[in-house]
Amino acid sequence: MILSELWNHYEADKRIQGFSPNTLRAYALQLNVQLTGTLVELCSAVIYEKRSPCRERESSLFMQRIA
């Protein structure tokens, strides 16, 4: 399921339960902050993996074995 669809279902459920629009906006903001932070961490990890000297050394050793 797409996250935007998931949020729409969650928001509709909370509106039925009587949550205020301000509370739901705060929840949406918090979710956005958490997702953004998670994406930044994942991207940083991927970039680190690609630039890691150990990874480069492992790749070069692997290529030498193949050749």
Side-chain angles (χ1 to χ4, degrees), residues 14-60:
K14 294 306 174 189
R15 283 187 192 276
I16 291 169
Q17 292 179 19
F19 282 58
S20 75
N22 289 336
T23 300
L24 294 173
R25 276 194 291 274
Y27 284 3
L29 177 63
Q30 187 62 33
L31 176 64
N32 191 14
V33 168
Q34 289 177 342
L35 288 176
T36 302
T38 301
L39 289 174
V40 167
E41 288 177 17
L42 288 172
C43 290
S44 297
V46 167
I47 290 169
Y48 176 77
E49 279 287 318
K50 288 183 178 179
R51 293 185 180 171
S52 171
C54 294
R55 291 288 278 177
E56 290 175 13
R57 189 177 69 229
E58 290 171 3
S59 296
S60 64

